[in-house]
Amino acid sequence: QFRLDDQVAVVTGGARGIGFAIATALAEAGACVVIADLEVAGEQSAHQLRERGLQAEFRPLDVTRSAQADALAKSLVEHYGHVEILVNNAGICRNTPALETSDEEWLQIFDVNVHGVFWCSRAFGRVMAQQGRGSIINIASMSGIIVNKPQPQAAYNASKAAVAHLTRSLAAEWASAGVRVNAISPGYIGTEMTKRGLENPQWRKDWLELTPLGRLGEPSEVANCALFLASPASSYLTGSELVVDGGYTV
Ligand code: NAD
């Protein structure tokens, strides 16, 4: 039920962190994984998977450019003939008090975290609806559910709440076409994104105290949930949001 043999999976922001863990889990389940990322480092990440005998390739993609998302979908359909899985994982976060947030920063966060998710979902949702099957997984955040005090992240929080509701909206529209759309909302996971925050002893202490499981999550623990949502094991889930936060939001 968790095998993905002969399926093509696109993971945006798959070069590192949670995205790379998801790319790894999907490739281990037999999928041919396309790491779509800004970073040229994505080539190295795909190479790492190929060295283990897994199927992976890197394609450059800036999710904020809808034309690039459309071109990638077209190119992958020409190359593979089908795409079954899209993981909208690319995302950015800034810790800026609301009164100090510039227009540019607000727009940049929404460009990547919200517009990017929609451009890629539309490009690949079209392909999946034509195929009559597909699974889209959006990486939202517990910050879209609760406000993470004392970190000032109004733009990030709002962008992730938008991702969760976009997930439900697309799930409702595309269910009849055989396309499932679900979200994962992680809590604190040890990656580049949280590295700076963890260096702040007070934040680190707060994060661990507020997490009932008493530790940060591993990228692989988010990846396991993505594998479930990508696979037929989750065939009756659409529009759902799996909260993977060690109990932070309970
Ligand atoms: P990360 O910073 O380690 O990795 C993000 C990846 O996205 C990088 O490879 C980066 O190059 C890529 N990326 C950024 N902008 C892009 C763009 N415009 N186009 C294509 N790729 C782009 O972050 P991470 O911690 O692995 O986070 C992955 C996702 O999980 C994000 O959406 C983030 O908001 C979400 N998330 C992370 C945490 C956490 O604690 N780490 C918690 C909740 C949600």
Side-chain angles (χ1 to χ4, degrees):
Q1 282 225 310
F2 290 91
R3 293 301 303 173
L4 301 174
D5 301 290
D6 304 320
Q7 300 200 20
V8 176
V10 177
V11 183
T12 72
R16 69 178 194 211
I18 293 172
F20 183 63
I22 293 173
T24 304
L26 301 184
E28 285 173 348
C32 175
V33 172
V34 178
I35 291 178
D37 203 300
L38 279 180
E39 305 275 315
V40 182
E43 179 53 59
Q44 186 52 39
S45 310
H47 181 72
Q48 244 176 281
L49 297 182
R50 286 196 300 273
E51 273 190 324
R52 293 181 47 204
L54 304 172
Q55 301 175 76
E57 67 161 312
F58 168 67
R59 295 289 188 103
L61 172 71
D62 180 347
V63 297
T64 68
R65 306 281 165 216
S66 69
Q68 288 188 22
D70 291 339
L72 179 64
K74 186 166 178 279
S75 160
L76 293 180
V77 168
E78 276 165 15
H79 186 70
Y80 294 105
H82 51 96
V83 179
E84 284 80 10
I85 299 156
L86 167 68
V87 185
N88 283 307
N89 163 80
I92 57 171
C93 181
R94 301 281 179 269
N95 294 309
T96 312
L99 293 179
E100 289 161 31
T101 300
S102 65
D103 294 15
E104 288 72 26
E105 186 171 298
W106 180 275
L107 290 171
Q108 190 196 16
I109 289 173
F110 270 71
D111 251 355
V112 180
N113 294 5
V114 184
H115 305 157
V117 171
F118 183 66
W119 306 146
C120 293
S121 297
R122 188 178 60 185
F124 287 95
R126 189 173 285 128
V127 171
M128 292 173 183
Q130 274 162 8
Q131 291 167 176
R133 69 195 165 122
S135 173
I136 298 178
I137 300 155
N138 296 328
I139 307 302
S141 172
M142 71 170 178
S143 305
I145 303 170
I146 47 119
V147 172
N148 228 337
K149 302 174 282 287
Q151 279 157 281
Q153 297 182 334
Y156 183 75
N157 296 344
S159 75
K160 291 300 187 177
V163 170
H165 211 52
L166 176 60
T167 300
R168 292 184 279 271
S169 309
L170 298 180
E173 277 199 41
W174 295 345
S176 61
V179 182
R180 297 186 296 114
V181 189
N182 292 288
I184 298 177
S185 289
Y188 288 114
I189 312 295
T191 67
E192 255 333 280
M193 187 178 274
T194 42
K195 211 168 109 194
R196 287 265 304 284
L198 282 170
E199 284 164 4
N200 179 326
Q202 187 58 48
W203 283 12
R204 189 186 175 91
K205 188 167 163 288
D206 290 347
W207 291 1
L208 296 180
E209 274 176 13
L210 291 167
T211 304
L213 284 183
R215 63 174 177 85
L216 294 186
E218 298 287 337
S220 63
E221 294 177 295
V222 179
N224 290 337
C225 296
L227 173 59
F228 168 63
L229 290 175
S231 76
S234 63
S235 51
Y236 201 54
L237 271 78
T238 198
S240 74
E241 182 177 359
L242 294 188
V243 183
V244 186
D245 67 351
Y248 194 104
T249 53
V250 298

